[in-house]
Structures are given as structure tokens and as C-alpha cells.
Amino acid sequence: MNPHEWALVVFTLLAQMAAGAFIVLLITRAAETRRMGKEIDRLGDLLGLAIMAILGIGMLASLLHLGSPLRAYRAVSNFGNSWLSREITFASAFFVFGSLYGLMQWAKWGSSTLRSVLAGIAGLLGVSMVYSMSRIYMIPTEPAWNSYETLVSFFTAAFLLGIFLTGSGLVIRHRVLSSTEDGQQAKRGKLLSDILGAYGIVAVALVGVQFVALPVYLAEIGDAAAAAGSSLQELLTSYGVILLLRLLLIFIGAGVLGAMIYRVSGKHVWESRLASLTIAGFSVVLVSEVLSRFLFYATRVRMGLP
Amino acid sequence: MAKQYAFYFDANSCIDCKACQVACQDKNDLPGGVIWRKVIEYGGGDWVMQDNVMVPNGIFTYALSTSCMHCQDPICVHVCPSGAMTKREDGIVLVDEDLCLGCRYCEWACPYGAPAYRPELGVMSKCTFCEDLLAAGENPACVDACVTRALDYGELSELQAKYGDLAEMAPLPDAKLTSPSFVLTSYRASQATGSRVGKIIDLAEEF
Amino acid sequence: MEEHSKLENVGRDDEINRRSFLKWSAAVGGTAAIASQLSFGFVPANTNRAAEPGKWVFSACWHNCGGRCANYAQVQDGVVVRQKTDDTHPDSPDYPQQRGCARGRSQRHQVLGVDRLKYPMKRAHWAPGGGDKELRGVDDWVRISWDEALDIIASETRRIIDTYGNKAILTPRLSPSRILNALGGAMQSWGVSSAGAWPQPSALMAGNLNLSAPDRMTYRKANLIVLWGSDPAWSSAGDPTYNYQQARNAGAKFVFVGPLHSNSVQTLADEWIPVRPGTDAALLLGMAYHMIDNDLQDQDFLDTYTLGFDADHMLEGTDPEENLKDYVLGTYDGVPKTPEWASEICGTHPRTIRQFAEEIARTRPTIFIGGAAPARTQNGQQFVQAFLTVGWMTGNVGFDGAAVCNNYHSSASYGGPSLVKPGGSGLESLGNPLFPRGGSGYAFAYPEDTDFYAVAYEEMWDAILNKEFTATVRGKQPCDIRMIWTVTHGSGGNALNQVAGIMKGIEAYRSVEFVVSSDIVLSTRSKYADVVLPDTTPWEDEAGGFLTGNPEVLFFYSQVISPLYEAKDCGYWFERELARRMGLDPDAIYSSTPQQQTFNQLAGASVIKEDGSGYEPLLTITADDIAAMGVEGKPQGGRISLSEFKEKGVYQVERKPGDSFIHTPGVAFRQDPEANPLSTASGKLEIHCQALSDKIAAYGFNTIPPIAQYNPPIEGYQATFEDWDNKVKGEYPFQLVTLHYMRRSHSVFDNITQLRKAFPEGVWMNPADAEPLGISHGDTVQVSSQHGTVIRPVIVTTRTTPGVVILGEGAWFEYDENLGADKAGATNTLCGTHPTGQGEEPWNTTIVRVDTWDGPALEADYTWPQRVPIKE
């Protein structure tokens, strides 16, 4: 794998993480607004900006994969045909709308309706970005990538990382707010516990999706033409250990820890264990997704002529 | 002006001498490690024991000289984000090195391995069909260089009338993918596209 | 230690830096007109070259590649920006352009590369007498002036001649410079390299029928063309393969015999017959058996035109039991040379042997062509004897479309006399007093002489180390070599790299008192020297010159660029300067200038008349031409004008089928052998050749029988076994074949990046051999022999015969002390010295082992830095 492809590992993971986290944040707010109102505001008020900062770092990283980074602005020129142009367009627009939302949310500018609309637009742009990103890779010359598995992989990565990033952001904010002694801590704790419980069960479901999709994918590329078969061979021989490690880690990080979070949250009170489980979950899931994305690029075998 | 410039290749003549590859590098002043035309050696068959003697069983080799196919449905043009990759009216596909970002997406997309990254310039580069020589009434450098006269070029429909319309042979990809502007006379013992009977018998570093 | 500049893939960083070139040019007011728009070196792609006005100059392509082609350089502001090949006439099979190969097309990177030697230099730790001799090859280099270089060479040469005599100076694989001859001579070397064991058997068995092949057009008349151990696609560059393709298109069937399914096989062959290296004689004898057993030989031909086939047709005075037929039948040695007997040795299936014998016996006309590779084996004579014998048994001699011949170098697919040729230079000979009848030493034919002092190629390093050499009929004689001289004008002559036994050669180099070399880049012979002189290339020679190759064409190259930096002609200029310092008259060394010599060649150039009846002058030369060249001569009339010839650089005789230039060897002999005897002892083709047996004995290394036999060669197939009867393999289970590789012309061009990219110097190995060793395609492997070890990437392919490993010869030895091996794959690290026969070099009988390599994988050759000895 050459250095410029590492820049893409960083970019795709951070961008997907940002999109997933943003959607998770939106859904969480929408679901809990009536119950908690301003409390959810306090928990999540910095998250929007934090998520956009991560997206920004990712986009800067993506410049490192270009041979001529100063010309990056030209990348939107072929929106009509190129999924890469579309991805950059959506990513940039997502960044603009998402940052605007994040700023307004934190500074409490504008009406809550306006902010919700902006958030909704940003969310759509984020999903479009992840979708475009997937379609970039789904070209017939790259048989190992030209599969629904790429969509599954990118979206589950987005939401697993998004869930755990958002969850971690919330538990950190909760910890910070505990020192303000505004008397709302218990209420916030119960809210957060419920939220994390939902996150946990969704994480388990997402891991389930990943584990079901994988053997289908392996069979698909094993069957296909020579280049895909080479990818499979590469994957299983040179990188077999890494694949096993990736699967083990996601099972633990999202499956086991997700289930544990769900169980603990069932008590409907805040327990500090929830914080450590969430942050541990994030770390393990992040490592696993880095390994997964590394494998994605490393086992690429383009079909056709060398 | 041609509607679609195309190359012709006779696999029965090629001896893998790479005069075409090097002539192209010379004419375009490319660094030694960057090639716009490549020659691939493909072969197969095995050895079997007969009466205690190892005998060759269907051993075959043949070579394939290719550059950019200037495809009629060029996937590189389709995917290029900056619009640097374009197809002209005469069918020649060119990358504008002043617009290219060096994202290398075309390198991922091209089934013929035509786009070549120039690390010293940070942009992609590829066969231009020697369009400057064509404009001066000369032939592409590779065609004039071939010591066994395995290469020819011209308007695609004329080449097809003269040589047939075959554009596939292992290890070339399925011509339906990008409709290459290319005609070949297949090697007498060649394998069809997609066949796994043979394999490329070069080292990866040659490409 | 020696520094290398880091080769970055930056623009054309492997070409001389534009700024330093400009600086130098301006400083010396060179003829290079410096324009500010020099694009050379940093140009983006797609430069519109066609529109630029650079001038095309016919430039030399002077290499020992087996071809000779047209090569033009486009010069702009004093540098070469592009090359092209022949476009002087429309191309057609009958009148083909002389198209050049990837190597010649890379010439400008050799002439103008950053690794071009610019200044005279000496080793940092050199002192008179040698200094720290162990550092030869790994020392730093110090730039010196020409004055200092000439003084050193003069004083060391004088000292060594005075102390030890002229015999103490060895000129390995080179004729001594004229000045050495004027000073009393030097110890030359002799032997046969490319042609293997062909020269003496051919001369003595076939006489003036010799290696004769038909002319190019006649090949199309053959029904069968056999190429035995020959790969013209990669060994005879230029048109030969295209010419053979015309024969193929005309319906000739091609059969190739050899261990490799080569690119020649790929494009031409209807059938490929594998055979183990060094066992071809056994295969041929097995075929002979089948022919004799079924009475398929052309008995009338044998009876009338040959001697030695059977007991009834032996030369008077020879033992009748020594005839070929009884040997093949096993009458006296009890071993009938059946196809089964042959198969055990050569690896070809007996059924194939029989079918092939039938085919050559029954097909007419057949052109039966023997390559040189099977003769580059120990006991290589036996291949030639067997090949000629079996060829003559088919009777394919002396009629249209038939021949029993050799396929060698630029004569491949071309037979017959030169249709156009240069005149003589007029320079009187200045021979080596120590080797009066030796010539260049190549194919030295007079071992009976007792008055010479010269050493066989395969014995040079031993002669230095052991202080004795085989003086042919005089047996071992003492010698004391103190100096190695590889100064010459021109590239090649890279003996340390190109003669077997590099490890021993380096030991020899490090034992002598003085090593002086000239070169254009730091090839092996200069890397291990004490003083190195920068030579000009033919592109820089003012006078221009001739190049010859195939018989139908003559080339004349002109000066392309001014000499670079301080490079000088290390023949004419250097020797005259040295003469001054050593008390000799420069004019005694070279009495005429290069310009005069070239003029003489131009004036004497001749071309065959249209009707083939004789030759006429090629060039019209006017008084103005003579004055412009600054030479002496007389105006003359010819076919084309001198200026047209110089401009085009090529004169090619146009041929058509049925023209007057048909050549069929042996017709007169066939028609009347009594009236047209051959120049053999008997006047006939000698299947039994006592003269050959006596001649080989005279060389002093070994003896051979007067007929074709199979005797197992040293380091041949049988040597790969520790137990032959039970077929238990020994320590070196594989045979090595050294291939003519298209990256290089022997060792020339190895330093060119784009050629390294095109040809990665992999070692080819059959999966039947690789898989049991756990070796996969692309792995780095270690190949070792009794003589040394190399490290290379491996190409696992079924195109090579099981048991045979193949590696291109000529890579520049690049020893890595830490690895204890040569990283480049110089085959002479693996091949050992075996003084044998007529002094041929038996590279293709070398046994090796291949092992997996645990060390770091090799970087691709094209990423290796250039050798730039003096930093600026």
C-alpha cells in the first residue's frame, strides 16, 4: 500500500465517522427533545462543532493523497459524471452546513426551527457524502470493491464510529457538567443512560449486519474473475491475521461492549461504568475499523492489465 | 480527420523486445521508471512425465504491446474529478497535466493500466497517440519503432475492415467494459479474455 | 567508500545536470550553443518535439549486440533531445528499414547520463606500486588532471617494463593499444567467446564452406528451417527475426531446439524441442542412430562429398575403426547411441528424437542452422562435430534453399558476401611483437606457434595468481603479470565482468601493481582500476566513422555533440600524448589522423554492381569535399554523393526476389567436388577430421576425438548428480544457461534506467524446480555455484526446461560485503574458469543451486542509483 492510500484510510474513516456521528446526534436530539428539552441541549451543544472539526481534519488528510494538493479545488469540476466530484461537493457542503449548525447550536443563534432545518440539510449532505464515497470504489475494474459490501462497510463504519463517537462525546460532556452542580446531573444521567442503551443495541445490530455480509462478500469475490480471486487470496494469506484481529475487535468493541452498555443502561440510572464502557468501545471499534479500512485498500487488485 | 484513432497489434510478430516502450519514453522524454506503453509476456502450459521423461505439454508464450486504448467509452474520462481527462473529436483521450490533481482515480479505473503517475510532477500522464507527430504528418513513435512491424494505427473502422474486429485476448480485459479503440490479430495459440490457462510471466516491477 | 548519487525519479535526474553542463560549456566556450530554452532534463511530457527545429544527425550505434541498425539523434543546442531509427526509405519485407532496438534507442542516456565519466581520476588510496591494493573496487575516487594521469601512466608503465618486461602487462580481452606495441608489446589474451567452439571445427571440417548460410531471400525457399540453440529475436538485433518471419510467411516450417521456449520460438516455431545444456551432441547422435538404423541418410552425398562417415570412406592413414557410423552403432564400444541412450542424457523424449530425425532426413530443402550457445559449453567441439555430421547426413548442401550452417551475430538470416563495404583506413598495422600471428586474439588459430606470449581468456586470472600459463604446445610456462591495461577507444572489453570467475578475477586485480582503464561510465573493468580515463564516445568523435553489420547495408556516423567535459579519445589522442611522455614519436604511433583514415575508408567504399559481377566505388567525392575534410586524396566518381551519404548515414542495397545477389553456399563443390575441392585437408567435408583433433591437442588443454562423440562435459548435466546411476542429485542440482539479454549488449547499457525498467534481470526457473523449494514467482532468491553467489528476483515459468535455470549475461557485478553476494546477477560470478578446447568459454556448462533468500528483498533494479564517482 503506498503512502497516499494511508491518507485515504484516515480521510474516509474520519469523514464517515463525522457523517455517522452527525446523523446519530440528530436522531438522538429529535427522539429526546420532548422528554428532555434543554438538557439534551446542554449535553450535545458542543458535539456539532467537534464532529465538524473531525470532518475538517479528515478533509485536510485527503489533500495528502493528491499529487498536486494545491489544485484540490478543481475536484468538483465533473459533478455530472464523477462520483469523486460528487463526494467532494457533498463533503464540502456538509462541512459548511454542519459547521453553521454547530456554531449556531453552541452560540444559540437563530431559532431552534432554523437550526433543525440546517441540521437536517447537513445530515442529508452527510449521507450523500458517504453514499458517493462508496460509489467511487464500486467500479468494474476493482472487483473486490465493486460490491454492495462497500456500501455496507462504509455505512456500518459510519454509524458504529458515529454511535461511539457521539456516545463518548456525551459521556465526556456529562462528566464535565457534573462539576457545575446545577442540580440537573441525575436527570441528565438518566437521560444519558437511556441514550447509551439505545446506542448499545444498535451497535450490536450493526455488528450483526457486518458479520452476515462478510461471508456473502467472500463467496462473491471468490467466485468472480481472476483479480477478485487474487484479492481474496491476498486477504486470506498475507492478511489473514489482520482480518481475524479486525473481526475479534469489532465483536468485542461493538458486540460485547455494546451489549454490556445496553444491559447496564437497563437500570435506568447513571452508572459511571457506562462512561468507561463507551469510551473503551470507541477505542476498540476505531482500531477495528482502521484495520478494516487498511484491508480494504491493501487487498485491492485491479483487474485487467498491470 | 479520423473519427476514432486506433492502434493495431499483431501478436504473432511481437518478440517482447520493448523497442516500442523505449521509443515512446524517448520521444516523450519520460523518466526511466514511467512508461506509457508496456509489453506483457503471457504464457502457460505445463510439463508432464511420459515414460520417465518430462515432456512439454502445451507450452505457449506470447507478448502483448499496449498503451492507452483511447476507448470509445473511456472510464477514465467518466471518473476524473477535475475534468483533466478528456476525449477529442478524433477519439484521442488526453490528460491535461495542468489540470490534473494527481488523485490517481483514473489509475484505479483504467482496465488497461494506461494512466501513469509522474511522482516528480504530482500528476498523471499517458499515451497521447503522439498527436503532435500526427499533426505533422508523422507516425506514432511506437509504430515506427517496431522491429518486427507488429504495430499499425489508423482510423478504427479502416483497421477493422483490414484486420477484423477482435479486441480481446488474455490478459486483456473484456472489450465490452470500455470499448477500446483497438484491433488485434490474436496469437495462434492465444487464450481468450478471462481465461486462466496462462499467466503473466513478467515481474511486477516492469509495470 | 564510494558514493552514489541518489537516483530520484525526478524529471530526468539521471541525465547530466543542465546547470553544471551550461557552466562548463560557457567556461570552455564549447561549440554547444547555449540557448536559454534548454528543455533537456526538466521538461514536462507532451513537448511538441515535431515542431522544434532540431537537426537530425546519423549517430553511431556501435555495440557488439549481434546487429547493426540505423540510429539518428536530434540535436538541439548542443544536446540530444530525441532519437529515431531508419526512415530513409519506405519499409517493406524485401527492402526493410534497419530498425534499432530498445538499447540503441537508449543511447543518449548512455552518452549524456549523470554517470558519464567526466575527468581523469585515481583511487584515493593508490600509490606507485599499487598503494592499498585491497581497496580496488571499493575505494573513493579523486579527480586528477590529464597531465597527472598521463605522468602516472608513463612512469608506471616505464617502471614495469624496465623491471619485469613487456610480458608483465596484460591486456585482457583487448588488443594492446598501439603505443604498447610500439614500446615492445604486451601479454595479450586469446580464445573464443561468443562463437564458442565453432571456429576450428568449422574451418577444418568444412573448410571454405565454413559457416556459410544462404542469402536473406533464399531462406524463403526452404521447406524446413531448424534453429538449434539459437535465439535471433534476442541475440541478433535488427531485422533478422523479421527476415525469418518472411520465411515463415512463405511457408517454411520452423523447428527450434534448446532449453528455452524463447521469444524466437514464440514468433516462429511450429515445434520446440527441449534439450539440456551441453547434451546437444547426445541428441544429435541419437538422431544419427535412427537415421542409420532406418537407412535415412543421404548415402550418395556422404560417399561423394564427405569423409569419415563409414569405414569405407576414411582418409588414408587414419584408423578405419574410428568412423562415425560404427561409433553411433556401438560396434566397438558396445554402446549403441540409440534415442533411448540419448534421452537419458539430453532429456528429450525418444519418440521426439525419432520424429525429428525423420523430419530432417525427409524434408528438402532444409536449412539446418547451428547456434553458438550449445558450442559455448565445455567439450563444445562435440556439438559442432555432431551438428555438422548430422546436417551432412541429410545432404542439404549446395542447392537452392538448403544449407548446413551457423547463425551468428549480425549474419543471422543473412548469408553471402558483403554487398557494400568500406575501404581500408590506410593506417599501417602496428602489431604486438609478443603475439605476431595473434591478431586480436579472438579465435586464435595457431597453437602450433612457439614464438608467442599470450594467455587464454579462461586462464588470465589464474596466470596472474599462479604465475604460470599454458603456452599451447610448449605446455606450462612461467609468467609474472604486474599490470593490467584496459585502455582503448570504445566501450566493451569489460573482461573482469565478462570472463568467468569474477571472484577470482578480483583477487587477481588486487594482486597486481598497476591497473589502468579508460571508460565512458564506471563499468566493472574501471571500478577495480587505479587510474581511470574518461573516453569519448563515437557520438563525440569529430571524424565520424563506419559501422558494418549485415551484408546489405553500410552505415556512416557523424559527430553528434562535442566531447563532454574532459573526455578525450583514448586511442588516437591519448596514445600520442603518452608517446610524447615516453620518448616516442607520436606519428610513429598514428601516422595519419582519424579524419584521413575515415576519408580513406570513404574513398575506398565499394558497392556490388547491379548485375552482381563485381564492385564499383560507392561515393562521388569532389575536390571541395576533400578540402572541407582537411585530408589528402583524389576526387572520384561513384554511385551517390559523399554529402548525401553522410546526411542519410545509410546506404542499403535494394534487393528483390530473384535479383543478382542470391547466394547459395557450396554449389560449385556440389557440382564438381574434384574441380572445386574445399580447403580441408582432404578437399571434402570431414566427418572424421584428424586435423581438428591435432589442432585441439596443440592448444594444450585437452584432447578430442576426430569424430563426433558424446563425452560428459565438466559442470555438465551429469555433474548435477552425486550418483548418476541412481539419479541422486548433488549439491548443485541445476544447470545454468546464460542468456543474451535485451537490457544490454553484453555488459554495455546495464546502467540505463529505462532499460532496467524494461528488463529486470530476473532468474528464470521452472515451477517443477521452484515449488519443491518453496520458491514463488517474484521472490528474491540466491543462486550459487562452486565459484560464487548472486541474488536476484525469480521468474517462475514453464517456458524453461525443468532442471535448467536461466539468467541474462552481462549485469554489472555489484558485490555487497554484508550479503556476501553479488546483487546484480553477474553470471560470471557463477561461471568458473575452465581452460578448454580452442580457448572457448564454456559458460553454458555451469551447475548451480537455488535457495530461498532470507535477507531483505532486492529493490527493483531501475531504482538503483547511478555510479557517479566524482561529485560536483
Side-chain angles (χ1 to χ4, degrees), chain B residues 8-34:
Chain B
Y8 164 75
F9 174 71
D10 177 9
N12 292 296
S13 294
C14 181
I15 55 171
D16 196 21
C17 78
K18 311 217 180 184
C20 54
Q21 172 177 317
V22 167
C24 168
Q25 285 182 295
D26 177 65
K27 184 263 171 197
N28 295 296
D29 215 32
L30 299 179
V34 175

mmCIF file of all heavy atoms in Angstrom, chain B residues 8-34:
data_model
loop_
_atom_site.group_PDB
_atom_site.id
_atom_site.type_symbol
_atom_site.label_atom_id
_atom_site.label_comp_id
_atom_site.label_asym_id
_atom_site.label_seq_id
_atom_site.Cartn_x
_atom_site.Cartn_y
_atom_site.Cartn_z
ATOM 1 N N TYR B 8 -3.338 -0.988 -33.920
ATOM 2 C CA TYR B 8 -3.455 -2.399 -34.311
ATOM 3 C C TYR B 8 -2.219 -3.132 -33.816
ATOM 4 O O TYR B 8 -1.112 -2.592 -33.845
ATOM 5 C CB TYR B 8 -3.559 -2.529 -35.837
ATOM 6 C CG TYR B 8 -3.299 -3.936 -36.308
ATOM 7 C CD1 TYR B 8 -4.262 -4.932 -36.144
ATOM 8 C CD2 TYR B 8 -2.071 -4.287 -36.870
ATOM 9 C CE1 TYR B 8 -4.002 -6.238 -36.532
ATOM 10 C CE2 TYR B 8 -1.812 -5.590 -37.263
ATOM 11 C CZ TYR B 8 -2.775 -6.566 -37.088
ATOM 12 O OH TYR B 8 -2.519 -7.850 -37.461
ATOM 13 N N PHE B 9 -2.409 -4.370 -33.379
ATOM 14 C CA PHE B 9 -1.284 -5.164 -32.889
ATOM 15 C C PHE B 9 -1.376 -6.586 -33.411
ATOM 16 O O PHE B 9 -2.427 -7.218 -33.341
ATOM 17 C CB PHE B 9 -1.304 -5.165 -31.355
ATOM 18 C CG PHE B 9 -0.274 -6.072 -30.740
ATOM 19 C CD1 PHE B 9 1.078 -5.754 -30.791
ATOM 20 C CD2 PHE B 9 -0.648 -7.248 -30.123
ATOM 21 C CE1 PHE B 9 2.030 -6.594 -30.229
ATOM 22 C CE2 PHE B 9 0.294 -8.097 -29.564
ATOM 23 C CZ PHE B 9 1.634 -7.770 -29.620
ATOM 24 N N ASP B 10 -0.247 -7.096 -33.916
ATOM 25 C CA ASP B 10 -0.180 -8.484 -34.389
ATOM 26 C C ASP B 10 0.608 -9.310 -33.388
ATOM 27 O O ASP B 10 1.836 -9.215 -33.320
ATOM 28 C CB ASP B 10 0.499 -8.537 -35.764
ATOM 29 C CG ASP B 10 0.659 -9.965 -36.269
ATOM 30 O OD1 ASP B 10 0.114 -10.893 -35.650
ATOM 31 O OD2 ASP B 10 1.327 -10.139 -37.303
ATOM 32 N N ALA B 11 -0.098 -10.127 -32.636
ATOM 33 C CA ALA B 11 0.564 -10.889 -31.583
ATOM 34 C C ALA B 11 1.457 -11.994 -32.126
ATOM 35 O O ALA B 11 2.244 -12.571 -31.382
ATOM 36 C CB ALA B 11 -0.480 -11.491 -30.637
ATOM 37 N N ASN B 12 1.373 -12.288 -33.391
ATOM 38 C CA ASN B 12 2.226 -13.336 -33.947
ATOM 39 C C ASN B 12 3.606 -12.814 -34.310
ATOM 40 O O ASN B 12 4.515 -13.583 -34.577
ATOM 41 C CB ASN B 12 1.581 -13.944 -35.196
ATOM 42 C CG ASN B 12 0.339 -14.710 -34.841
ATOM 43 O OD1 ASN B 12 0.397 -15.697 -34.143
ATOM 44 N ND2 ASN B 12 -0.800 -14.195 -35.274
ATOM 45 N N SER B 13 3.749 -11.496 -34.312
ATOM 46 C CA SER B 13 5.036 -10.914 -34.683
ATOM 47 C C SER B 13 5.851 -10.455 -33.495
ATOM 48 O O SER B 13 7.064 -10.382 -33.565
ATOM 49 C CB SER B 13 4.825 -9.712 -35.599
ATOM 50 O OG SER B 13 4.288 -10.115 -36.819
ATOM 51 N N CYS B 14 5.180 -10.126 -32.399
ATOM 52 C CA CYS B 14 5.873 -9.452 -31.298
ATOM 53 C C CYS B 14 6.865 -10.365 -30.597
ATOM 54 O O CYS B 14 6.550 -11.523 -30.295
ATOM 55 C CB CYS B 14 4.845 -8.940 -30.292
ATOM 56 S SG CYS B 14 5.561 -8.067 -28.888
ATOM 57 N N ILE B 15 8.064 -9.844 -30.338
ATOM 58 C CA ILE B 15 9.102 -10.637 -29.672
ATOM 59 C C ILE B 15 9.495 -10.055 -28.321
ATOM 60 O O ILE B 15 10.556 -10.365 -27.794
ATOM 61 C CB ILE B 15 10.357 -10.758 -30.566
ATOM 62 C CG1 ILE B 15 10.864 -9.370 -30.974
ATOM 63 C CG2 ILE B 15 10.072 -11.623 -31.770
ATOM 64 C CD1 ILE B 15 12.215 -9.406 -31.670
ATOM 65 N N ASP B 16 8.611 -9.191 -27.742
ATOM 66 C CA ASP B 16 8.872 -8.698 -26.384
ATOM 67 C C ASP B 16 10.229 -7.987 -26.312
ATOM 68 O O ASP B 16 10.948 -8.128 -25.330
ATOM 69 C CB ASP B 16 8.825 -9.877 -25.387
ATOM 70 C CG ASP B 16 8.684 -9.425 -23.937
ATOM 71 O OD1 ASP B 16 8.233 -8.302 -23.695
ATOM 72 O OD2 ASP B 16 9.055 -10.216 -23.042
ATOM 73 N N CYS B 17 10.583 -7.240 -27.318
ATOM 74 C CA CYS B 17 11.882 -6.565 -27.319
ATOM 75 C C CYS B 17 11.814 -5.172 -26.713
ATOM 76 O O CYS B 17 12.832 -4.574 -26.418
ATOM 77 C CB CYS B 17 12.458 -6.488 -28.727
ATOM 78 S SG CYS B 17 11.742 -5.203 -29.759
ATOM 79 N N LYS B 18 10.582 -4.635 -26.573
ATOM 80 C CA LYS B 18 10.335 -3.355 -25.915
ATOM 81 C C LYS B 18 10.936 -2.150 -26.631
ATOM 82 O O LYS B 18 11.112 -1.102 -26.017
ATOM 83 C CB LYS B 18 10.785 -3.379 -24.453
ATOM 84 C CG LYS B 18 10.253 -4.610 -23.720
ATOM 85 C CD LYS B 18 9.874 -4.348 -22.296
ATOM 86 C CE LYS B 18 9.362 -5.623 -21.655
ATOM 87 N NZ LYS B 18 8.881 -5.451 -20.295
ATOM 88 N N ALA B 19 11.209 -2.301 -27.909
ATOM 89 C CA ALA B 19 11.654 -1.120 -28.663
ATOM 90 C C ALA B 19 10.546 -0.073 -28.650
ATOM 91 O O ALA B 19 10.820 1.129 -28.531
ATOM 92 C CB ALA B 19 11.998 -1.503 -30.099
ATOM 93 N N CYS B 20 9.288 -0.522 -28.741
ATOM 94 C CA CYS B 20 8.160 0.407 -28.733
ATOM 95 C C CYS B 20 8.082 1.146 -27.400
ATOM 96 O O CYS B 20 7.881 2.365 -27.358
ATOM 97 C CB CYS B 20 6.858 -0.342 -28.995
ATOM 98 S SG CYS B 20 6.541 -1.731 -27.887
ATOM 99 N N GLN B 21 8.229 0.422 -26.322
ATOM 100 C CA GLN B 21 8.140 1.020 -24.986
ATOM 101 C C GLN B 21 9.204 2.095 -24.815
ATOM 102 O O GLN B 21 8.929 3.201 -24.334
ATOM 103 C CB GLN B 21 8.315 -0.083 -23.930
ATOM 104 C CG GLN B 21 8.426 0.409 -22.504
ATOM 105 C CD GLN B 21 8.528 -0.752 -21.524
ATOM 106 O OE1 GLN B 21 7.823 -1.752 -21.631
ATOM 107 N NE2 GLN B 21 9.406 -0.613 -20.541
ATOM 108 N N VAL B 22 10.423 1.771 -25.215
ATOM 109 C CA VAL B 22 11.539 2.691 -25.034
ATOM 110 C C VAL B 22 11.484 3.846 -26.032
ATOM 111 O O VAL B 22 11.824 4.979 -25.702
ATOM 112 C CB VAL B 22 12.857 1.898 -25.121
ATOM 113 C CG1 VAL B 22 14.049 2.802 -25.255
ATOM 114 C CG2 VAL B 22 13.005 1.011 -23.887
ATOM 115 N N ALA B 23 11.026 3.570 -27.248
ATOM 116 C CA ALA B 23 10.886 4.654 -28.237
ATOM 117 C C ALA B 23 9.907 5.708 -27.722
ATOM 118 O O ALA B 23 10.118 6.915 -27.881
ATOM 119 C CB ALA B 23 10.408 4.100 -29.567
ATOM 120 N N CYS B 24 8.836 5.220 -27.087
ATOM 121 C CA CYS B 24 7.835 6.126 -26.520
ATOM 122 C C CYS B 24 8.454 6.943 -25.376
ATOM 123 O O CYS B 24 8.261 8.149 -25.293
ATOM 124 C CB CYS B 24 6.652 5.302 -26.018
ATOM 125 S SG CYS B 24 5.487 6.197 -25.005
ATOM 126 N N GLN B 25 9.206 6.290 -24.510
ATOM 127 C CA GLN B 25 9.853 7.013 -23.420
ATOM 128 C C GLN B 25 10.799 8.075 -23.958
ATOM 129 O O GLN B 25 10.882 9.178 -23.429
ATOM 130 C CB GLN B 25 10.649 6.060 -22.530
ATOM 131 C CG GLN B 25 9.800 5.212 -21.601
ATOM 132 C CD GLN B 25 10.670 4.336 -20.723
ATOM 133 O OE1 GLN B 25 11.366 3.456 -21.218
ATOM 134 N NE2 GLN B 25 10.629 4.569 -19.429
ATOM 135 N N ASP B 26 11.501 7.722 -25.025
ATOM 136 C CA ASP B 26 12.468 8.661 -25.589
ATOM 137 C C ASP B 26 11.766 9.859 -26.206
ATOM 138 O O ASP B 26 12.113 11.007 -25.942
ATOM 139 C CB ASP B 26 13.319 7.942 -26.643
ATOM 140 C CG ASP B 26 14.286 8.879 -27.313
ATOM 141 O OD1 ASP B 26 15.185 9.396 -26.626
ATOM 142 O OD2 ASP B 26 14.137 9.124 -28.523
ATOM 143 N N LYS B 27 10.759 9.584 -27.006
ATOM 144 C CA LYS B 27 10.066 10.660 -27.705
ATOM 145 C C LYS B 27 9.402 11.621 -26.720
ATOM 146 O O LYS B 27 9.393 12.824 -26.932
ATOM 147 C CB LYS B 27 9.037 10.052 -28.665
ATOM 148 C CG LYS B 27 8.302 11.063 -29.522
ATOM 149 C CD LYS B 27 6.968 11.420 -28.935
ATOM 150 C CE LYS B 27 6.349 12.594 -29.710
ATOM 151 N NZ LYS B 27 5.266 13.222 -28.927
ATOM 152 N N ASN B 28 8.897 11.080 -25.624
ATOM 153 C CA ASN B 28 8.179 11.904 -24.658
ATOM 154 C C ASN B 28 9.044 12.329 -23.479
ATOM 155 O O ASN B 28 8.542 12.929 -22.524
ATOM 156 C CB ASN B 28 6.946 11.145 -24.162
ATOM 157 C CG ASN B 28 5.949 10.929 -25.272
ATOM 158 O OD1 ASN B 28 5.389 11.881 -25.817
ATOM 159 N ND2 ASN B 28 5.741 9.680 -25.669
ATOM 160 N N ASP B 29 10.317 11.984 -23.542
ATOM 161 C CA ASP B 29 11.275 12.371 -22.519
ATOM 162 C C ASP B 29 10.810 11.964 -21.126
ATOM 163 O O ASP B 29 10.855 12.740 -20.173
ATOM 164 C CB ASP B 29 11.507 13.883 -22.584
ATOM 165 C CG ASP B 29 12.945 14.233 -22.254
ATOM 166 O OD1 ASP B 29 13.840 13.412 -22.563
ATOM 167 O OD2 ASP B 29 13.187 15.294 -21.670
ATOM 168 N N LEU B 30 10.366 10.723 -20.997
ATOM 169 C CA LEU B 30 9.857 10.258 -19.724
ATOM 170 C C LEU B 30 10.996 9.796 -18.819
ATOM 171 O O LEU B 30 12.017 9.322 -19.322
ATOM 172 C CB LEU B 30 8.902 9.080 -19.951
ATOM 173 C CG LEU B 30 7.662 9.365 -20.797
ATOM 174 C CD1 LEU B 30 6.835 8.087 -20.950
ATOM 175 C CD2 LEU B 30 6.827 10.467 -20.182
ATOM 176 N N PRO B 31 10.815 9.902 -17.522
ATOM 177 C CA PRO B 31 11.820 9.306 -16.615
ATOM 178 C C PRO B 31 11.855 7.796 -16.822
ATOM 179 O O PRO B 31 10.860 7.199 -17.246
ATOM 180 C CB PRO B 31 11.277 9.627 -15.220
ATOM 181 C CG PRO B 31 10.190 10.602 -15.399
ATOM 182 C CD PRO B 31 9.706 10.519 -16.809
ATOM 183 N N GLY B 32 12.986 7.198 -16.516
ATOM 184 C CA GLY B 32 13.175 5.776 -16.792
ATOM 185 C C GLY B 32 12.118 4.871 -16.193
ATOM 186 O O GLY B 32 11.820 3.809 -16.735
ATOM 187 N N GLY B 33 11.536 5.269 -15.079
ATOM 188 C CA GLY B 33 10.573 4.405 -14.402
ATOM 189 C C GLY B 33 9.130 4.624 -14.827
ATOM 190 O O GLY B 33 8.232 3.948 -14.331
ATOM 191 N N VAL B 34 8.875 5.547 -15.729
ATOM 192 C CA VAL B 34 7.498 5.848 -16.150
ATOM 193 C C VAL B 34 7.321 5.376 -17.586
ATOM 194 O O VAL B 34 8.067 5.771 -18.478
ATOM 195 C CB VAL B 34 7.223 7.366 -16.083
ATOM 196 C CG1 VAL B 34 5.831 7.687 -16.646
ATOM 197 C CG2 VAL B 34 7.332 7.858 -14.651
#
